[in-house]
């Protein structure tokens, strides 16, 4: 998770008698460009603007809570990733972070490929016109129906996650009279330094086939014997919200070792490796993410070096960033409702959303930042916990943060870096209506995923 420490700083320490937290040394009106999307700024009146539009206008037009996605930032990040990796590598955006038809079109326009992990994501990608050959299909338990759909559509690759799936995909492809390009997902035995629930390359979990005990080598052996599939490479995804490149380097090294073993045993040089996604972003000012060009260089250096020493041709590399592309491009806008100061503890600030639009704080103990955005304020900072409106005490959006002490009901506050895994993991808990996603670009704002309505909820309820 985010590595952020508690806000620290020498000023205003006397405001918090228990001494657990000291108020931030920085001005609360400052918007740290690390956590806010690129076109976010404060206007002369102190209100936040994104894409040139003031938040109060956005709130009036689209309501709250709502996610505002900075389209030009999204596109710039796509280009930064594809420029960093260059023409000899492929960038697959991981749709699980956030997917909609508009996003699929932007990806196409910016030259990216797409990783989908369910029939629903595949349907969205195809519906929005993503060429099937630019789609990779993932998942640890793809249904036969999903596999059929993917093979029929002609997806560029299916990433095989188990021995059973090797056979399932081969059978489906054979039945449909095609040869499906596949990769095998291996678990390389790396302990990624992130939250347990989003680490995926240690051995005791559900994804992939372990390199240990020769299992992955056996999977390759089987895949090479089946007519319905063409094994094009090896895939490894070690986890998410990772800052340290060491895990990726170990992963790359072990995947290349497997390629060398495959060459030695079968005389086949698999042409591709995929090193997954998982690059961390800044949720608070304490986080220091790597830039795409640093990541690309680190990965391609290690793969090239390892291949040279194994006497292998360097395979084509692909990566699957989700969070690192969309995460920083959006913020969630909330209206402040009830404000409840708890003497000697903290002030609970309730907003009109909560765990239904951002489950990450409850699920992973994720840390977020928050700012008053409808105006600036010079009031003293107060220690707050931003909570939602759900019937659950774990309904926390931002666990520990500072907001100005003159905060009042009706103010707008925003939580940055909510582009990834917030709308895509949103729920209807307490029959909450999932918020819209509004794309903002060059002074124009348009809904790309509309707000759910009570009719939407009731339409599913057919009893
Ligand atoms: N490729 C594969 C095979 C994956 O499983 C994932 C994420 C990605 C790429 C993209 O990872 P990213 O670059 O976005 O970190 N819900 C969690 C994250 C789960 C990630 C699952 N797989 C969260 O909110 O942190």
């Amino acid at each position: 998770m985010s590595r952020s420490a508690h806000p620290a700083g020498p000023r205003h320490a006397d405001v918090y008698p228990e001494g657990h937290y000291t108020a931030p040394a920085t001005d609360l009106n400052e918007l740290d460009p690390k956590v806010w999307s690129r076109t976010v700024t404060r206007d002369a009146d102190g209100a936040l603007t994104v894409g040139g539009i003031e938040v109060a206008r956005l709130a009036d037009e689209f309501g709250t809570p709502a996610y505002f996605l900075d389209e030009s930032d999204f596109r710039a990040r796509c280009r930064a990733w594809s420029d960093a990796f260059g023409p000899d590598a492929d960038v697959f955006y991981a749709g699980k972070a956030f997917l909609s038809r508009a996003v699929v079109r932007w990806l196409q326009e910016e030259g990216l490929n797409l990783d989908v992990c369910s029939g629903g994501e595949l349907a969205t990608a195809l519906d929005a016109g993503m060429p099937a050959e630019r789609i990779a299909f993932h998942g640890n338990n793809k249904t036969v129906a999903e596999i059929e759909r993917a093979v029929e559509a002609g997806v560029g690759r299916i990433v095989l996650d188990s021995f059973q799936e090797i056979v399932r995909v081969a059978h489906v492809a054979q039945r449909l009279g095609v040869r499906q390009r596949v990769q095998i997902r291996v678990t390389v035995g790396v302990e990624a330094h992130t939250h347990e629930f989003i680490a995926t390359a240690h051995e005791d979990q559900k994804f992939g086939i372990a390199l240990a005990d020769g299992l992955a080598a056996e999977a390759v052996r089987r895949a090479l014997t089946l007519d319905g599939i063409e094994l094009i490479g090896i895939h490894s995804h070690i986890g998410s919200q990772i800052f340290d490149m060491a895990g990726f380097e170990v992963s790359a090294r072990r995947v290349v070792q497997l390629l060398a073993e495959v060459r030695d045993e079968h005389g086949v040089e698999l042409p591709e490796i995929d090193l997954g996604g998982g690059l961390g972003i800044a949720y608070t000012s304490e986080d220091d993410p790597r830039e795409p060009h640093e990541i690309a260089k680190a990965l391609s250096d290690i793969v090239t070096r390892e291949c040279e020493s194994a006497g292998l041709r360097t395979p084509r590399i692909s990566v699957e960033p989700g969070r690192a592309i969309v995460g920083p491009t959006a913020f969630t806008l909330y209206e402040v409702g009830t404000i409840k100061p708890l003497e000697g503890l903290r002030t609970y600030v309730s907003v009109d959303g909560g765990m239904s639009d951002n489950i990450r704080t409850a699920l992973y103990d994720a840390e977020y930042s928050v700012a008053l955005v409808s105006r600036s304020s010079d009031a003293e900072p107060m220690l707050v916990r931003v909570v939602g409106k759900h019937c659950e005490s774990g309904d926390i959006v931002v666990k520990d943060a500072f907001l100005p002490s003159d905060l009042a009901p009706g103010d707008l506050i925003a939580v940055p870096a909510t582009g990834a895994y917030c709308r895509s993991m949103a729920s209807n808990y307490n029959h909450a209506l999932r918020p819209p996603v509004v794309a903002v670009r060059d002074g124009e704002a348009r809904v790309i995923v509309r707000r759910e309505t009570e009719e939407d909820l009731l339409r599913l309820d057919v009893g």
Side-chain angles (χ1 to χ4, degrees):
M1 287 297 77
S2 170
R3 294 172 305 164
S4 316
H6 294 302
R11 291 198 303 148
H12 314 294
D14 51 331
V15 181
Y16 308 100
E18 359 34 61
H20 291 311
Y21 299 96
T22 46
T26 49
D27 178 356
L28 289 184
N29 298 311
E30 260 172 40
L31 298 171
D32 183 348
K34 271 209 286 192
V35 297
W36 294 90
S37 70
R38 287 179 203 188
T39 73
V40 162
T41 176
R42 279 195 196 267
D43 66 14
D45 300 329
L48 182 147
T49 68
V50 56
I53 311 181
E54 204 193 289
V55 278
R57 217 185 97 197
L58 293 171
D60 281 348
E61 192 171 342
F62 303 103
T64 57
Y67 308 98
F68 291 96
L69 198 164
D70 192 335
E71 180 182 338
S72 52
D73 192 12
F74 183 97
R75 289 175 180 273
R77 286 174 194 277
C78 288
R79 286 195 293 275
W81 276 85
S82 72
D83 291 350
F85 279 85
D88 299 327
D90 298 302
V91 180
F92 286 76
Y93 168 75
K96 66 205 82 180
F98 173 64
L99 196 66
S100 75
R101 289 195 185 102
V103 163
V104 174
R105 286 193 294 272
W106 301 341
L107 295 170
Q108 284 176 75
E109 286 162 13
E110 302 302 340
L112 264 64
N113 307 289
L114 176 61
D115 140 13
V116 299
C117 69
S118 69
E121 288 184 2
L122 178 61
T124 304
L126 294 172
D127 185 78
M130 178 58 94
E133 64 273 13
R134 284 169 56 187
I135 298 176
F137 188 30
H138 271 281
N140 69 300
N141 189 23
K142 307 168 189 78
T143 65
V144 171
E146 286 173 325
I147 294 169
E148 279 167 355
R149 174 120 197 248
V151 174
E152 261 166 2
V155 298
R157 62 171 76 152
I158 295 182
V159 182
L160 303 174
D161 203 89
S162 66
F163 282 94
Q164 283 150 354
E165 204 170 80
I166 296 174
V167 178
R168 274 182 206 139
V169 172
H171 281 174
V172 168
Q174 216 165 6
R175 187 150 38 82
L176 295 173
V178 294
R179 194 141 188 258
Q180 176 62 49
R181 289 156 60 86
V182 296
Q183 293 186 338
I184 292 175
R185 176 165 174 178
V186 301
T187 42
V188 293
V190 170
E191 296 283 342
H193 292 187
T194 186
H195 192 283
E196 180 195 348
F197 292 175
I198 53 174
T200 57
H202 54 298
E203 273 138 23
D204 186 4
Q205 44 84 28
K206 68 174 183 170
F207 292 108
I209 300 176
L211 280 178
D213 303 328
L215 287 176
E218 176 58 19
V220 170
R221 222 166 273 136
R222 293 197 197 170
L224 289 174
T225 62
L226 295 170
D227 288 338
I229 52 181
E230 177 191 354
L231 181 62
I232 57 166
I234 301 296
H235 182 286
S236 162
H237 169 77
I238 60 171
S240 263
Q241 186 57 3
I242 299 168
F243 291 93
D244 185 356
M245 289 304 290
F248 290 99
E249 291 180 6
V250 174
S251 162
R253 193 170 305 130
R254 294 192 182 158
V255 168
V256 172
Q257 274 163 15
L258 178 62
L259 293 191
E261 280 170 43
V262 171
R263 187 259 333 263
D264 295 345
E265 182 177 341
H266 306 280
V268 174
E269 288 199 30
L270 298 178
E272 295 185 10
I273 66 174
D274 189 308
L275 295 171
L279 282 311
I281 62 164
Y283 285 104
T284 77
S285 299
E286 306 291 317
D287 294 325
D288 269 317
R290 300 292 186 94
E291 292 296 324
H293 65 89
E294 294 175 80
I295 296 158
K297 183 166 179 347
L299 294 182
S300 83
D301 283 356
I302 182 89
V303 172
T304 309
R305 199 163 61 237
E306 292 297 312
C307 286
E308 267 169 20
S309 81
L312 284 166
R313 273 193 299 277
T314 307
R316 193 173 174 86
I317 300 177
S318 50
V319 286
E320 299 171 336
R323 184 191 324 261
I325 291 179
V326 72
T329 68
F331 62 81
T332 314
L333 187 64
Y334 300 103
E335 184 178 309
V336 173
T338 299
I339 300 177
K340 201 179 278 185
L342 298 189
E343 193 57 39
L345 290 171
R346 71 188 82 244
T347 296
Y348 277 78
V349 174
S350 295
V351 294
D352 47 358
M355 65 195 300
S356 54
D357 58 72
N358 186 350
I359 190 66
R360 299 193 68 263
T361 309
L363 193 55
Y364 314 117
D365 227 359
E367 292 187 37
Y368 280 92
S369 332
V370 61
L372 169 62
V373 293
S374 42
R375 60 187 172 91
S376 58
S377 165
D378 293 326
E380 285 288 292
M382 65 172 170
L383 178 63
V384 300
R385 178 158 290 173
V386 179
V387 295
K389 67 196 300 278
H390 295 281
C391 295
E392 182 118 356
S393 49
D395 172 26
I396 297 169
V397 181
V398 187
K399 208 165 159 197
D400 299 305
F402 286 87
L403 283 171
S405 51
D406 64 350
L407 190 77
D411 277 332
L412 297 174
I413 61 175
V415 174
T418 57
Y421 304 110
C422 286
R423 180 59 180 79
S424 70
M425 293 174 79
S427 77
N428 290 121
Y429 183 42
N430 297 150
H431 282 200
L433 303 171
R434 286 178 296 176
V437 181
V438 180
V440 186
R441 185 186 182 189
D442 298 337
E444 277 179 31
R446 71 188 170 101
V447 175
I448 58 171
V449 177
R450 74 162 166 78
R451 186 184 299 284
E452 240 168 1
T453 61
E454 287 175 3
E455 293 73 56
D456 292 327
L457 279 184
L458 290 168
R459 199 174 299 138
L460 298 178
D461 185 337
V462 294

